[in-house]
Amino acid sequence: MRLGVIFDRDLPPERLVPVARALDALDRVDDLWVVEDLGWTGGVSSAATALAVTSRLRVGIGIAPAPLRNPMLLAMELANLARLHPGRLAAGIGHGVPAWMAQAGAAPPSPLALLEETITSVRALLRGETVTMAGRSVQLDGLSLVHPPREVPPVLAGVKGPRSLALSGRVAQGTILPEGLGTDQVRQALGQISPAGDHELAAFTYLHVGPGFPGHVAEGQAEFLGVAPEEVASAVGTAEEAAAHVRALWSAGAGTVLVRPVAADPVPHVEALLTAL
């Protein structure tokens, strides 16, 4: 069972370096994940920064939108990071928020086809293969990496719908579930993924120890998930209550739980959680 921390997108980018170093010093934290949401920060540059200032943590990109990332260029970036920091990278790829992709002029005709073709081609390139693909959305003609990684990083799909979850089980090495899902939803998602072989299930969840968890966060995520705000499950309340939620996600089948502290200073919330765990 892995425990990771998400560097919240609303924190100023210059806070990434001190937060990454502080988390690297907490030996019970396994991962640090950085965000790639439209208008916030770039996932590859954030991951490169976090990897450069840490020595132990696995750094994850959560989540690169397939419509904004040419698979060849994405594979080049991932391979570069994996060569420089062997065994310390994980890459999440997803559909992107449809409204944001439309705003950027990148809405694909078939999000499912684009995601499947992107993950399939990126994984093949990272394995050192020469890739030719004449897909519905991805066209590659005899491309390969000059410097493929010696230790291939896992590629996870950041998805939530039934068909996308099934796609993840077919083509990805793991699945990233969004913040707000409870244990029943995690178990249901695992059944829809139906992975063949090893498959990492990573669950994002909000973290806030003590009073003051902002209500608008749950409301916004409820709208994204299509549920009522009171149905958004999070690691909030006392440290013991937060720890109980993390343990419940592990028990439900999430091998990796990634907490997203909603606070100006995330490290004390992580430390309180670790003490309770």
Side-chain angles (χ1 to χ4, degrees):
M1 296 182 292
R2 301 180 67 89
L3 179 70
V5 178
I6 302 165
F7 183 79
D8 190 75
R9 66 188 187 185
D10 288 333
L11 292 174
E14 57 269 22
R15 294 289 311 284
L16 176 59
V17 169
V19 169
R21 286 173 172 159
L23 295 173
D24 201 40
L26 299 175
D27 60 7
R28 289 173 292 172
V29 175
D30 301 297
D31 288 12
L32 169 62
W33 283 65
V34 294
V35 177
E36 180 160 282
D37 281 345
L38 190 66
W40 273 268
T41 57
V44 172
S45 57
S46 295
T49 300
L51 286 163
V53 300
T54 58
S55 61
R56 183 187 58 80
L57 293 172
R58 183 178 72 163
V59 174
I61 298 174
I63 302 161
L68 296 182
R69 290 286 189 179
N70 178 278
M72 183 62 195
L73 180 58
L74 181 56
M76 290 162 59
E77 297 281 20
L78 297 177
N80 197 30
L81 292 178
R83 289 285 293 238
L84 292 167
H85 307 279
R88 295 184 54 216
L89 178 68
I93 306 174
H95 294 299
V97 177
W100 292 350
M101 298 302 100
Q103 281 182 290
S110 174
L112 283 169
L114 174 60
L115 185 59
E116 180 161 2
E117 292 166 9
T118 297
I119 291 176
T120 299
S121 56
V122 167
R123 289 192 60 196
L125 288 162
L126 291 174
R127 291 193 298 266
E129 299 174 15
T130 298
V131 177
T132 294
M133 177 178 289
R136 183 172 176 181
S137 298
V138 172
Q139 289 81 39
L140 300 175
D141 185 8
L143 291 176
S144 61
L145 295 171
V146 175
H147 301 292
R150 297 183 180 92
E151 192 166 345
V152 178
V155 175
L156 295 81
V159 291
K160 64 184 179 73
R163 290 196 297 167
S164 298
L165 289 165
L167 182 157
S168 179
R170 291 196 309 272
V171 303
Q173 291 156 286
T175 302
I176 303 166
L177 300 179
E179 300 91 335
L181 300 186
T183 54
D184 289 343
Q185 290 85 0
V186 170
R187 293 189 186 96
Q188 183 181 17
L190 190 57
Q192 292 168 332
I193 294 166
S194 299
D198 291 338
H199 190 92
E200 179 178 2
L201 184 63
F204 284 8
T205 187
Y206 294 113
L207 170 67
H208 189 90
V209 176
F213 180 68
H216 72 273
V217 172
E219 292 171 3
Q221 192 65 6
E223 183 177 354
F224 174 71
L225 295 173
V227 300
E230 60 269 19
E231 296 179 66
V232 175
S234 303
V236 300
T238 66
E240 290 71 22
E241 289 170 332
H245 180 65
V246 170
R247 291 193 194 97
L249 292 175
W250 277 329
S251 297
T256 302
V257 174
L258 300 163
V259 298
R260 178 180 171 182
V262 183
D265 187 359
V267 177
H269 292 261
V270 176
E271 292 174 331
L273 173 66
L274 290 174
T275 298
L277 285 172

